[in-house]
Each structure stands twice: as C-alpha cells, then as structure tokens.
Amino acid sequence: MAISEMRATPPPAKGVAPAHTPDASRAVTLFIGVVAILYFGKAVLMPVTLALLLAFLLAPLVELLRRLHLGRVPSVLLGVIVALGVVVGIGGVIGTQVADLSADLPKYVGTVEAKVSAVRHYTVGRLSRLADSVGVQHKDRAATHRQATAVASVPAPQAQPETPGAADMSSGSSPLALAERYLSPVLSPLATFGIVFVVAVFALLQREDLRDRLIRLVGSDDLHRTTLAMDDGGRRLGRYYITQLSINTLFGVVIGIGLLIIGVPDPVLWGILSALLRFVPYVGSFISAVLPMTLAAAVEPGWSLVLWTAVLYIVIEGVTGQVIEPMVYGHSTGLSPFSVVVAAIFWSWLWGPVGLILSTPLTLCLVVMGRHVKRLEFLDIMLGDRPALTPVESFYQRILAGDADEAMDHAELLLKQRSLSTYYDEVALKALQLAANDAERGSLDHAGLDRIKQTVKTLINGLRDHVDRKPSKSESDDDAITPPGDGRPLPNNALPASVESEDLPEDWRGASAVLCIAGKGPLDEAASAMLAQLLTKHGMGARLVGYADVSREGIDSLATDGVAMACISYLDISGSPAHLRYLVARLRQRLPRGAPVLVGLWPAEDAALTDKTIQATVGADYFTSSLQQAVSACAQAAVHSEPACQRVVA
C-alpha cells in the first residue's frame, strides 16, 4: 500500500460527533398548541389528570386485592373506598383540630394585641410619632380649607330614593340567591372531588385497555420503545410518589412530636398540615411553619416559643431537604433542579394551586416522553437532568472559550471515578481531535488555536499532582460522572501496564529518558505534554520536544544524552504521511543505538495502526492508539534490553 493513501481524511472518532439538534420550529409550534389546550381546557383536564394520578397510586393496591381472588370490580371498588376513607379520615382529624383551636382563639386575643403593640412601639414608634406630627399640620390646613368651601357653597337638595329595600330584599334574600351565595363555594370542590373518584374508578377498571390504546396512539410500530417508555415513566413516578410520601410523613411526625415537646397547642393538626403542605414544592414548608409560629406567638407572652418553633422547622427542613432527599432521590426523577423551579411556576400559572402540587409528576411524564419519543426530544433536553453535551463536547467548549477554571472543574468531576490516563484518552484527546478537525476545515483561526493550546497547558499543569490510579470505591462518587448525552457511561479502562520505580533501569529514570516529540499538527504538542506527564507519574523520565527541534533544520542540535526512547504524537497525519517516515529516519540517526521509537496515532481508526505495510514503511517500533497503550509500551521497553521491532501494542 502506498504511503500516499494515508492522506485520506480519517473518519471522525467514535463518540465525538456533534449532538443531534431537534427541529426548533416544530418544537415551538407543538409547545404553543399544548399550552393553549392546557390553559383553555383546564376545567376538564385538571380533574382528569388528578383522577389518572390517583388511579396510578391505587393500582398496586388493586393488583394486590386481585391476587387475593376478589375479582376486578370488587378490587377496584375496595381500593377506591380505602382511598376515600383515608381522605375523609384526614379531613375529619383536621376539622376536629380546627374546631378545638377555634374555641380557644378568644383566649389568645389579648396576648396577640399586646405583642403587636410592643412590636409597633419598639420598631415604628418613632416613625409613627413623626408621621402624626406631620399629619396634624396637614389636618389644620385641610380644616381651614373646608370651612372656606362650606361658606362659599351651599349643597343642592337631593331627591329622596323612592322605596329602598324592596328590590334589595327581593333580590338578595330569595332562596335561590341564598343557595347560590352559600352553596356554590362548597358544591364546586365537592363536584370536582366526585369527578376525580369516578374517573379513577373507570381508569382502574379499564387500565389494560387504556394502556393498549396509549400504545397504539404513541407508537404501535415500535412496541419495544413504547413499552420501555411506559415502564420507565411508571418506575420513576412510582418511586417518586412512594419516596415523597414516606419523607413527608416522617417530616410531619417529627414536626408533630417536636411541637408537642415545645408546648404548641394542637400538634397533631400542625403535623398533618406540615406533611400535606410539603407536597407543594419549595413554598409548602414555609407556609406550614407560619401557622404554628403564629399560634406560638399568641399562646405565650414571651418570644421563646416562637423561636423554638422556628428553629424546629429550620433544622428539620434543612436535614430533610439537604441530606435525606438527595441521598434517597439521587437522580431517580430525571429532572434538573432548574426545570423543577420553572415547572412549578409554569403549572401554577396554568392550573393554580393544583398545578403547583402536580408540577413535578407532570413534568416527569414529559421528560420520559422526550427521552423515548424522537419528536419530543426537546423536552428531555430542556427539562431532563442528562447533559445536552457529551463530556468530550463539554470539554471542547471550555477550551474553545479559553476557560481554564471550568475545564479544571470538569476534569476534577470526571476524575472522581476515572484514572487520569483514561480521562486523557476518552475526553481530552477526543476534544483535541474535534479542534484539529475544525482547524483543518478552516473554522478555527490561529487565535483560537493559541487559546486552546494555552488552556490545555494550564489544565495539564493543574493536574500535575494527580496520581494516575483508579479511585477506590470509598473515594468515588456514584453521581460524580456526567454521562454522555445519549446515556452511555464513559469507558473505565484499566490502568496502563507499568513497573515499579525500583525495577526501572537507571537510564530510564533520567529527566530525558523518553523524548515526547510533538507532530507537525498545531495541537500535537498538547498530546505530547499529556504523555510526558503520564510517563513521569509512572516513574519514567520524560522531556517534551517540539516539532521544530526535530525538523531538518533543528535535528542536529537536539540533545540526546541519556535518551532511551522516543515517542511521537499525532492527532492527525492525514495531510503529511511522508514526513512521518522521514522524521523517524532522522531520529534513528540522532538517537542512541537501540533506542526504540513509538508513534502514537490518537485517531484509533488510522490505517497505520492495522496495516503492516504502512508500519514497515514508517519504520517505528511501536504504534499505539491511546496514551495508556503508549505508557504500557514504554514500560515494556524499559524491561527489555532489545526493542521489539515493528510491534503494535494491542
């Protein structure tokens, strides 16, 4: 095979292709249409949504009853009756507690008035006196003006209304008007409540039929993907509801016990309300804390009860929200924190308080649909917790912007579960390949290349103290790795084969034992710097050499004292294969006799890595496709007196 065939542009490295971009216009049109339907149809859609979620919650109970051979209809009815009994029971307890509290409220009026007066005296007393003094002057001027006006003008007599009250009595006191005034606010929630339970009953009775119709509607041509989406959504929703119910119940119990110990009246009421209101994202806990704090202020003349109540809520909410929930949830919901906040605002605007309560499960359903339905992929991109860019693309974006701090933070995150050599191979080198491809196309100018080289140099210097080893299980963090946008985990390759420092020959420990020579490409020196750092971490001396130092003009001045091996790094040799052969020949003449030469072709698809004819023509001793292989080859060469000719490291 001719060497010129190496000039063919290699295919892009696998896994570094740009992410697929959804059709923005179609997404916007679909979003506007769905929002309009949800807003104008909320009177119908809201109770139906509540009913379907209730049916989803009752489905495990109904399935359990059916396993006891109760039949479909009795199981559904019994499950709904149990749910209705729980709701009525909680409502009855709340009503009883509220009635008891209402009977005791007159006793607290004096304490509340005294505290309000004290607060006004110590906070706004001076401002009130100042405002009063200004108001007296204004009243004097206003009184003088009114007296002058009264003398100058005499009001005209007004006509007396004919028979007031007759029409008002007839219109305001009729039975229909009274029924409409007092029964409508009560009947409307009861009607919605009844609709929810009726629809839930029919949804449970026809659950399998509804599931089949949904499969037919979403995608009967791909049953595997549709079934996977439904299973994923059911699993995430089920885990979310069970976990949220358990945590909120525990929160309410702890709050109730704490209020009982502190001495706040009706702790059962506040415990139940705290558990229920915590289903409201973000603001529910604060609302539940205001009510018992107000009661605590009314019970005791001092402020100690209020302070202890506030401390109780702050501590319990802090532990629950910052410790228990992250530990239990993890990434099980699949929602980003930003999307949860936006979803709460959006659904509150659409459906009011009910929308606020349902914001998380409804948004979770949308994310699952976007994850499995190609046309709705934009939902997963906007709302999901998976990054839109792969780690390679994220790293490339940071070095392209010249943001060394962000690049270092990104590296530290990935290194929590990966060795340094794996990070260089799977992220840094592939990002440099993207940059080399952009430079070859002309979309990356010299200023951009210089910015990338400087950022990568800063990153390598920042990782000089990081040991190239796989983190232990105790040191790793399961949530530390940011997976690629398609959900695949980063490869976790084994560490390069190495030898103990004391087993290395003396000439391999010197500062110039291995020459890490940069290729002719603009970013090859960055790859050589990574290799030099890894060799140093594995006990071998390494020195970075630029391409100018091994060119025809500079090769004669290259210092080769103490050199045991030379490693040439190329991100892309497609445009200049011939000079690689001549470079190896020049190095053979300059290096000490018997010193092996390694060529690192970081595009793993390069033909030189598999074609024996090309390898023989180039004349190198080792051909590698990764930094890990290069370090392993150097370690092998260090323990062999004679290099293995024409050897490709597998």
Side-chain angles (χ1 to χ4, degrees), residues 100-411:
D100 295 340
L101 180 62
S102 300
D104 296 334
L105 283 180
K107 301 187 302 184
Y108 309 138
V109 174
T111 306
V112 172
E113 292 178 350
K115 288 189 175 181
V116 171
S117 300
V119 170
R120 291 186 57 187
H121 175 73
Y122 288 108
T123 57
V124 296
R126 294 183 179 181
L127 293 177
S128 299
R129 288 193 293 270
L130 179 60
D132 292 340
S133 63
V134 175
V136 169
Q137 298 177 2
H138 177 71
K139 288 180 180 179
D140 293 340
R141 290 194 298 268
T144 304
H145 177 71
R146 285 196 299 269
Q147 291 176 1
T149 304
V151 173
S153 61
V154 178
Q158 298 180 358
Q160 298 293 328
E162 293 184 355
T163 54
D168 295 339
M169 291 289 293
S170 60
S171 61
S173 301
S174 63
L176 292 178
L178 291 175
E180 182 180 1
R181 179 181 303 175
Y182 295 107
L183 294 182
S184 294
V186 178
L187 291 178
S188 180
L190 289 178
T192 304
F193 187 78
I195 292 174
V196 168
F197 272 89
V198 170
V199 176
V201 168
F202 283 96
L204 289 170
L205 289 174
Q206 296 185 304
R207 186 178 57 173
E208 292 79 6
D209 181 67
L210 291 176
R211 180 198 60 196
D212 296 341
R213 293 180 184 275
L214 182 61
I215 292 176
R216 177 67 181 274
L217 180 64
V218 175
S220 59
D221 53 343
D222 192 352
L223 290 177
H224 173 72
R225 180 178 293 272
T226 305
T227 304
L228 183 64
M230 296 181 66
D231 292 342
D232 187 18
R235 177 179 56 83
R236 291 179 182 273
L237 276 177
R239 182 172 180 180
Y240 168 77
Y241 276 122
I242 293 175
T243 307
Q244 187 75 359
L245 178 62
S246 303
I247 292 177
N248 291 353
T249 302
L250 179 62
F251 179 83
V253 170
V254 174
I255 289 294
I257 295 175
L259 293 177
L260 177 63
I261 296 174
I262 293 174
V264 178
D266 301 309
V268 177
L269 172 63
W270 308 125
I272 294 176
L273 290 180
S274 298
L276 294 177
L277 289 175
R278 206 174 182 279
F279 282 98
V280 180
Y282 301 107
V283 299
S285 299
F286 297 100
I287 296 175
S288 64
V290 170
L291 299 176
M293 288 177 61
T294 304
L295 181 60
V299 170
E300 187 187 34
W303 295 96
S304 60
L305 201 60
V306 179
L307 295 178
W308 280 113
T309 304
V311 169
L312 174 66
Y313 272 92
I314 292 174
V315 171
I316 301 303
E317 175 60 28
V319 172
T320 304
Q322 303 301 323
V323 178
I324 298 179
E325 285 184 340
M327 181 175 59
V328 174
Y329 283 143
H331 291 286
S332 61
T333 59
L335 299 177
S336 66
F338 176 77
S339 67
V340 174
V341 177
V342 174
I345 298 173
F346 174 76
W347 289 105
S348 300
W349 169 71
L350 275 180
W351 289 356
V354 176
L356 180 61
I357 297 174
L358 299 178
S359 60
T360 299
L362 290 177
T363 307
L364 180 57
C365 293
L366 295 178
V367 169
V368 172
M369 292 173 60
R371 190 162 294 181
H372 297 281
V373 180
K374 194 67 175 178
R375 290 175 295 180
L376 302 178
E377 185 183 5
F378 69 95
L379 293 173
D380 184 29
I381 295 176
M382 293 190 304
L383 304 174
D385 63 347
R386 297 192 304 182
L389 299 177
T390 66
V392 175
E393 293 165 341
S394 297
F395 179 77
Y396 181 39
Q397 184 274 327
R398 286 159 174 77
I399 63 175
L400 191 62
D403 196 338
D405 293 334
E406 285 290 333
M408 179 63 68
D409 182 71
H410 182 263

Side-chain angles (χ1 to χ4, degrees), residues 588 593-597 621-622 636-637 640-647:
R588 293 287 191 195
R593 184 177 180 180
V597 177
D621 299 293
Y622 297 91
Q636 294 175 18
H640 291 83
S641 57
E642 294 293 335
C645 279
Q646 304 299 328
R647 186 173 183 181

Side-chain angles (χ1 to χ4, degrees), residues 495-511:
L495 291 175
S498 185
V499 294
E500 298 295 335
S501 299
E502 57 270 14
D503 297 334
L504 286 171
E506 188 64 31
D507 57 341
W508 284 82
R509 303 181 190 178

Side-chain angles (χ1 to χ4, degrees), residues 85-105:
V86 171
V87 173
V88 172
I90 294 176
V93 173
I94 294 177
T96 303
Q97 294 286 313
V98 170
D100 295 340
L101 180 62
S102 300
D104 296 334
L105 283 180

